[in-house]
Amino acid sequence: MYEEYYGFSERPFQLTPDPAFYYESVTHKKALSYLGYGLNQGEGFVVITGEVGSGKSTLVAHLKQKLDSDRMTVGEVVTSALGSDEMIGMAAHSFGLQVDTSDKASALAEIENFLQDEARAGRKVLLVVDEAQNLTVGALEELRMLSNFHLGAQPLLQMLLLGQPEFRQLLTEWDQLEQLRQRVIAMHHLAPMDPNEVEAYLIHRLSVVGWRGRPRFSTEAIAAMHRWSRGIPRMVNQIAGRVMLHGSIEEIDAFTGADVEAVIEDLENDMNPVPRATAPRADDTPRAA
């Protein structure tokens, strides 16, 4: 593969989130600031939204690396249109609790006991809910109810909600979510990277795997990658990986705009294949004269 041709220790543009490659763009730096503020508050909801592939999961992975596990317990839920009872069960499971969701009162009591034990041990608890745009209103209401748990005056649970842009719209417009909306203490939308950030992003990821200036990218090559990816990190990874593969096959050490445009054309052909001709029906088969 291309990492061998260019002498890299591993592939720098994999699509799966990896905190080792975390790049702090302007928008991700702001998101971390909001997260830090929210975690210091120790209560309520922090909401981070962004397009698919904007780096929400990588941001959380980076955040978890920075947290002290002796002082913070983190549970994670990736949603798939969960209802209210399912939300309670998934939240409990994220903390290693096995609860009977058919007995809601008992399930909530077990979660509350767990949260109180964590507080007495000096640990805060954070629940990260990914793909929050898939949640029903009932499930979001259950999360709000979980945020009501206190030990004396101390809140027991804080939540980080990650979602696509429509989740932000849902939160701001739906009257049924007014009470939850009032508990949102910080909200940030991850914006796409501009062309200068795309260049810095590429150099950062390449440097992690041992890049020493080979290959190089012209200004036109960077501009073409930004235009195709729209500055979304996962799409930058997609185009950059294909550019590097192309470079290893064609033995290219300095990419031009034309090189990248050729790869983009191949990618778009892969994504929009020409339909195969429909086979003729039996009654359309030409007959012998």
Side-chain angles (χ1 to χ4, degrees), residues 1-288:
M1 298 298 287
Y2 71 78
E3 66 270 25
E4 297 176 358
Y5 177 76
Y6 291 113
F8 301 151
S9 58
E10 59 181 301
R11 282 178 290 167
F13 298 113
Q14 297 189 74
L15 302 182
T16 52
D18 186 343
F21 289 94
Y22 174 73
Y23 171 72
E24 193 165 87
S25 67
V26 170
T27 193
H28 285 80
K29 185 175 183 178
K30 288 181 180 178
L32 275 181
S33 297
Y34 281 113
L35 286 170
Y37 168 77
L39 293 176
N40 285 333
Q41 296 297 306
E43 62 179 339
F45 293 82
V46 177
V47 177
I48 303 293
T49 57
E51 299 286 351
V52 174
S54 60
K56 299 183 294 293
S57 297
T58 304
L59 179 72
V60 171
H62 175 71
L63 174 69
K64 287 174 62 179
Q65 282 193 336
K66 296 180 65 175
L67 295 175
D68 183 349
S69 60
D70 292 330
R71 300 180 61 187
M72 176 76 74
T73 298
V74 180
E76 293 185 78
V77 172
V78 178
T79 71
S80 178
L82 298 179
S84 56
D85 291 342
E86 294 169 311
M87 187 72 254
I88 294 296
M90 290 295 289
H93 181 71
S94 74
F95 296 122
L97 304 176
Q98 300 298 324
V99 299
D100 180 5
T101 55
S102 65
D103 184 350
K104 185 175 178 180
S106 174
L108 289 171
E110 287 191 52
I111 294 174
E112 184 175 17
N113 289 336
F114 165 78
L115 295 174
Q116 289 179 349
D117 289 343
E118 291 295 289
R120 293 188 181 102
R123 288 188 291 272
K124 294 181 178 181
V125 181
L126 174 68
L127 177 62
V128 180
V129 181
D130 202 355
E131 302 294 351
Q133 76 279 349
N134 293 330
L135 292 175
T136 64
V137 171
L140 288 167
E141 272 296 289
E142 291 297 344
L143 289 177
R144 183 186 66 81
M145 294 299 292
L146 289 177
S147 73
N148 285 336
F149 290 140
H150 287 72
L151 183 61
Q154 177 184 355
L156 295 178
L157 180 62
Q158 186 169 33
M159 278 173 260
L160 169 58
L161 305 182
L162 307 172
Q164 293 174 28
E166 57 264 34
F167 180 60
R168 186 186 186 99
Q169 184 176 1
L170 183 152
L171 273 182
T172 56
E173 294 181 357
W174 283 35
D175 293 339
Q176 303 98 309
L177 298 176
E178 175 61 26
Q179 293 188 67
L180 187 151
R181 189 158 53 238
Q182 292 177 7
R183 298 191 183 193
V184 174
I185 60 175
M187 182 182 292
H188 180 68
H189 181 74
L190 292 173
M193 296 182 289
D194 64 29
N196 289 335
E197 285 187 303
V198 166
E199 181 175 18
Y201 175 84
L202 293 171
I203 292 173
H204 168 75
R205 292 189 73 103
L206 287 167
S207 297
V208 171
V209 299
W211 178 75
R212 296 293 183 271
R214 175 181 173 267
R216 301 185 306 279
F217 300 89
S218 70
T219 301
E220 293 76 18
I222 298 293
M225 282 192 274
H226 176 264
R227 184 172 60 255
W228 185 86
S229 68
R230 307 191 309 278
I232 297 172
R234 187 183 298 164
M235 293 188 69
V236 174
N237 288 356
Q238 186 178 10
I239 183 63
R242 286 290 292 264
V243 165
M244 302 296 284
L245 177 61
H246 173 74
S248 66
I249 294 171
E250 300 296 331
E251 299 184 354
I252 297 172
D253 288 343
F255 291 104
T256 66
D259 293 323
V260 175
E261 293 292 353
V263 173
I264 289 172
E265 183 177 355
D266 286 343
L267 263 175
E268 291 180 343
N269 287 337
D270 290 347
M271 293 177 177
N272 300 288
V274 177
R276 289 184 296 178
T278 304
R281 298 191 305 270
D283 57 352
D284 290 335
T285 304
R287 298 179 180 179

